[in-house]
């Protein structure tokens, strides 16, 4: 009894610490969608914010001013201006904006009939990169980071008629930003995910967490957070398919901590069981679909529901198939993840930033385990406090948005970051935060390796000590020698931990055929995969792989005419959905692994 009270107390403290200030989860709420056409003003000189002395102007574009009489000189007019579709980046919607990095002002007008004693929020799925948001001329706030959700309460500002939202979206890169100046992906700018007006009761269920207790197969535990003036409410948890029908009373700060045992069909890639969950408080109801599974490591093995599993993966960028641009829709997710399933995957590495919710929910439904990452990529400003706060915020928002998704098995802190002690301290801080927020998932990062001797690779990045799984990117046969070089390569690590080869690969232009030593040809890429597989089979501590990459994607660093044309061509599939020869090499290998796993 004493032990249980102590255990409960520890659980209470750890969950309370990080459930404080997360963005209320709105994705399960009815709302007024503001998706569709928005008027825009392209503003490379920040004319909408500053006057000719570069002083902030009180009458900027956020005012949405209209001439009051015939001599009133207003030098902008949203309603007569061009438009863009939201969600969507601006670069792929307008030829003249393909390379544009700067400010674009967005305006959307709408009427809204508010119910009595409700609260109203303006919710964004994501805006790349820096968003300054105004509502009916009032500044609501700023959000930095292009891949996580945010919202503002507008209960006190909303009117019956002629409301207008104005967003100043700026995707200019900077050294102290996250990501920093240099990336091998296109810096798509804009309101890249859905925007909505969300109406809630005065006291509403703002967040919740349902997980299997660490190490248990039948004990569900978690918490629910009520936000509002009446926190001390009863909350009924209903999970009919496993006969859970339990009532709890929230404490003075609106928290319910619960645990309940049940006989649960665990979520697996073969059987991605999801349960309908309903949370009913005195004033609010929220529904969701959640799967339950455990994920842990043992030595160099990754265990799903207690059993060793090999992660048959592929990396994916959030690039839209066929039309290009930032992917956002359920259809985009179904196409991309459908190809991953066709490849024989049970795992996807969503690189290098949190992808949209459609991707994660579709992975839940399809049975694809997910590696989710924050864009701490290459040479971040490790000693800049604001940079750390920014990365830490993106990590908090990534975890709080997807903590109930069974598919997400690991949080990745970084990709290919150069060794240094400021970098190590920076990443150790993020790892501590991730473990504090979510002790049930694995923590990883994509690290680099080095040569011990001409035919031995070593993974001994000091960061390896602090993660659960060692991600390692290697380009033997592409940036490092010819494909055959992999045949005689052996691997070592100083850590007794699972290794995922989180990137390997080479480029090929679909349809370009030649002998296997001709670079850029499908045959070269095919050969590279064959030699890689020969090498990977021999790595004793290998627990997974995610080749770079499922589909060709736009990149500002790829300028070879007739081959790259501003696309990274390491895809196994072209941006038009055309499968390259290497696709079938990997598909065959994954089929073999799948059969072995079944045995
Ligand atoms: C890097 C990096 C990717 C990049 C890839 C490449 O390892 O992590 O973002 O696109 O290699 O060079 O193609």
């Amino acid at each position: 009894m004493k032990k249980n009270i102590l255990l409960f107390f520890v659980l209470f403290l750890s969950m309370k610490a990080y459930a404080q200030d997360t963005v209320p989860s709105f994705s399960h709420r009815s709302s007024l969608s503001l998706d569709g056409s928005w008027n825009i003003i392209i503003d490379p000189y920040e004319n909408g914010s500053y006057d000719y002395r570069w002083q902030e102007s009180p009458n900027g574009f956020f005012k949405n001013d209209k001439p009051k009489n015939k001599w009133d000189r207003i030098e902008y007019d949203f309603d007569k201006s061009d438009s863009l579709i939201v969600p969507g980046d601006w670069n792929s919607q307008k030829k003249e904006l393909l390379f544009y990095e700067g400010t674009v002002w967005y305006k959307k007008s709408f009427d809204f009939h508010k119910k009595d004693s409700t609260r109203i929020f303006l919710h964004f799925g994501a805006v790349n990169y820096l968003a300054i948001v105004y509502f009916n001329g009032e500044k609501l706030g700023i959000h930095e980071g292009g891949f996580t959700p945010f919202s503002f309460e507008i209960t006190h500002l909303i009117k019956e008629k002629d409301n207008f939202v104005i967003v100043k979206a700026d995707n200019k890169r900077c050294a102290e930003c996250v990501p920093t100046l240099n990336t091998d992906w296109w810096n798509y700018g804009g309101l890249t995910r859905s925007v909505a007006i969300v109406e809630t009761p005065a006291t509403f269920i703002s967040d919740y967490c349902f997980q299997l207790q660490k190490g248990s197969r039948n004990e569900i535990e978690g918490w629910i957070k009520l936000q509002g003036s009446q926190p001390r409410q009863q909350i009924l948890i209903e999970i009919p398919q496993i006969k859970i029908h339990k009532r709890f009373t929230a404490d003075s700060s609106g928290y319910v901590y619960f645990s309940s045992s049940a006989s649960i069909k665990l979520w697996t890639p073969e059987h991605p069981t999801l349960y309908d969950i309903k949370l009913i408080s005195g004033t609010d109801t929220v529904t969701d679909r959640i799967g339950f599974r455990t994920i842990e490591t043992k030595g160099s093995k990754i265990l799903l529901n207690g059993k060793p599993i090999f992660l048959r993966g592929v990396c994916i960028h959030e690039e839209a198939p066929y039309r290009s641009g930032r992917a956002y829709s359920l259809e985009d997710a179904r196409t991309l993840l459908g190809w991953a399933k066709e490849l024989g995957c049970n795992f996807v590495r969503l690189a290098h930033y949190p992808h949209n919710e459609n991707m994660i929910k579709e992975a839940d439904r399809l049975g694809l385990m997910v590696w989710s990452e924050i864009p701490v990529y290459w040479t971040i400003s490790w000693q800049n406090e604001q940079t750390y706060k920014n990365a830490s915020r993106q990590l908090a928002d990534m975890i709080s948005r997807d903590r109930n998704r069974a598919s997400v098995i690991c949080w990745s802190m970084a990709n290919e970051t150069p060794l240094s002690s400021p970098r190590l301290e920076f990443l150790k801080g993020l790892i501590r935060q991730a473990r504090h927020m979510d002790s049930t998932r694995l923590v990883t990062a994509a690290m680099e390796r080095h040569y011990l001797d001409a035919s031995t690779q070593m993974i001994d990045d000091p960061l390896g000590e602090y993660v659960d799984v060692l991600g390692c990117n290697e380009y033997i046969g592409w940036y490092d020698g010819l494909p055959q070089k992999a045949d005689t390569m052996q691997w070592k690590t100083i850590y007794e931990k699972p290794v995922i080869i989180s990137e390997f690969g080479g480029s090929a232009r679909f349809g370009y055929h030649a002998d296997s030593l001709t670079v850029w040809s499908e045959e070269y890429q095919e050969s590279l995969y064959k030699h890689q597989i020969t090498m990977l089979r021999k790595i004793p501590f290998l627990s997974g792989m995610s080749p770079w990459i499922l589909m060709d994607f736009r990149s500002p660093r790829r300028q070879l005419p007739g081959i790259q044309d501003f696309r990274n061509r390491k895809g196994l599939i072209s941006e038009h959905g055309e499968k390259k020869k290497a696709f079938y090499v990997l598909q065959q290998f994954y089929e073999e692994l799948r059969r072995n796993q079944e045995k």
Side-chain angles (χ1 to χ4, degrees), residues 576-594:
H576 306 302
E578 303 145 319
K579 297 186 175 77
K580 305 175 191 176
K581 284 184 167 184
F583 178 97
Y584 302 102
V585 172
L586 188 64
Q587 188 185 48
Q588 196 184 348
F589 179 51
Y590 280 178
E591 179 53 18
E592 176 202 320
L593 291 180
R594 191 188 64 74

Side-chain angles (χ1 to χ4, degrees), residues 183-185 317 349 351-352 377-378 415-416 473 475 478-479 503 507 548 553 557-558 568 570:
T183 66
D184 191 24
W185 71 80
H317 253 305
R349 176 184 175 207
H352 292 291
Y377 180 92
W378 290 348
N415 179 72
E416 289 185 358
N473 296 356
Y475 280 92
W478 187 253
Y479 297 124
E503 286 184 36
S507 292
W548 190 261
F553 61 95
R557 302 176 72 251
R558 309 293 169 174
N568 183 312
K570 293 192 180 71

Side-chain angles (χ1 to χ4, degrees), residues 129-130 143-146 148 174 176-180 374-376 380 384-397 426 430 433:
Y129 172 76
L130 188 70
H143 182 267
E144 183 171 359
T148 45
C174 69
E176 57 286 347
C177 294
V178 180
T180 182
I374 50 173
V376 174
I380 292 285
N384 181 308
E385 206 193 322
Q386 286 314 313
T387 301
Y388 182 82
K389 283 199 177 129
N390 179 355
S392 163
R393 175 84 229 189
Q394 294 192 41
L395 177 64
D397 291 346
F426 189 109
L430 294 178
Q433 178 189 341

Side-chain angles (χ1 to χ4, degrees), residues 15-26 29 119 200-210 222-235 237 248-258 279-281 283-286 400 403-404:
M15 289 204 277
K16 184 137 181 112
Y18 260 93
Q20 294 295 342
D21 55 355
T22 53
V23 178
S25 63
F26 283 141
R29 287 189 177 280
R119 297 170 67 181
T200 73
T203 299
F204 67 100
I205 296 169
S206 67
D207 207 353
Y208 50 89
C209 173
F210 283 71
W223 49 266
I224 303 165
K225 166 89 177 89
L226 283 170
Q227 199 189 91
S229 52
Q230 299 169 303
R232 268 188 187 285
Q233 292 188 17
Q234 286 230 323
I235 300 185
I237 301 177
F248 298 87
T249 307
D251 64 19
S252 57
S253 51
Y255 277 100
V256 159
Y257 298 96
F258 67 86
L279 308 178
I280 306 159
S281 75
T283 50
D284 195 14
T285 299
V286 163
S400 54
R403 60 159 63 91
N404 291 308

Side-chain angles (χ1 to χ4, degrees), residues 147-376:
F147 305 100
T148 45
F150 59 98
S151 53
F152 299 101
E153 180 156 12
I154 54 171
T155 311
H156 55 302
L157 292 169
I158 198 153
K159 304 178 294 182
E160 193 74 17
K161 287 244 169 264
D162 305 327
N163 295 288
F164 60 92
V165 180
I166 290 185
V167 182
K168 176 182 184 297
D170 182 355
N171 72 335
K172 278 195 287 301
R173 287 167 290 125
C174 69
E176 57 286 347
C177 294
V178 180
T180 182
L181 287 166
N182 194 11
T183 66
D184 191 24
W185 71 80
W186 207 265
N187 182 25
Y188 290 121
L191 280 55
T192 53
R193 295 179 191 160
S194 288
V195 184
I197 299 293
V198 179
E199 183 162 25
T200 73
T203 299
F204 67 100
I205 296 169
S206 67
D207 207 353
Y208 50 89
C209 173
F210 283 71
Q211 300 271 3
L212 268 183
Q213 194 175 70
K214 210 166 171 61
S216 158
R217 306 267 181 282
N218 61 357
E219 194 68 25
I220 296 175
E221 68 181 7
W223 49 266
I224 303 165
K225 166 89 177 89
L226 283 170
Q227 199 189 91
S229 52
Q230 299 169 303
R232 268 188 187 285
Q233 292 188 17
Q234 286 230 323
I235 300 185
L236 173 62
I237 301 177
E238 285 190 340
I239 316 180
Q241 293 131 320
I242 47 177
K243 304 189 178 46
I244 288 187
H245 181 93
K246 281 200 167 178
R247 214 174 280 285
F248 298 87
T249 307
D251 64 19
S252 57
S253 51
Y255 277 100
V256 159
Y257 298 96
F258 67 86
S259 69
S260 178
S261 52
S263 94
I264 302 163
K265 219 159 158 290
L266 297 174
W267 184 96
T268 67
E270 294 73 29
H271 303 289
T273 309
L274 298 175
Y275 289 102
D276 296 311
I277 295 203
K278 203 180 215 177
L279 308 178
I280 306 159
S281 75
T283 50
D284 195 14
T285 299
V286 163
T287 58
D288 197 347
R289 304 200 71 213
I290 297 181
F292 298 100
R293 52 99 193 96
T294 65
I295 190 78
E296 51 211 313
T297 65
K298 195 165 178 213
S300 65
K301 295 278 177 251
I302 294 176
L303 309 182
L304 175 71
N305 301 328
K307 294 198 205 79
I309 188 161
F310 187 88
L311 307 185
R312 307 186 307 269
V314 74
C315 289
I316 304 179
H317 253 305
E318 196 185 42
E319 174 98 15
Y322 306 115
R323 72 172 192 280
S324 285
R326 200 41 89 211
Y328 60 82
S329 68
L330 183 56
E331 194 198 349
D332 293 336
R334 290 204 161 139
T335 304
L336 293 168
L337 298 179
W339 284 334
K341 288 289 276 187
E342 207 182 321
L343 199 48
C345 292
N346 60 7
F347 170 65
V348 287
R349 176 184 175 207
L350 302 182
H352 292 291
Y353 37 76
H355 285 214
N356 63 78
E357 275 187 278
N358 286 315
M359 280 295 265
I360 310 290
K361 289 194 177 138
E362 199 51 16
D364 256 16
R365 197 181 68 80
L366 288 173
L368 285 165
M369 293 175 278
V370 168
W371 159 312
S372 186
E373 184 164 290
I374 50 173
V376 174

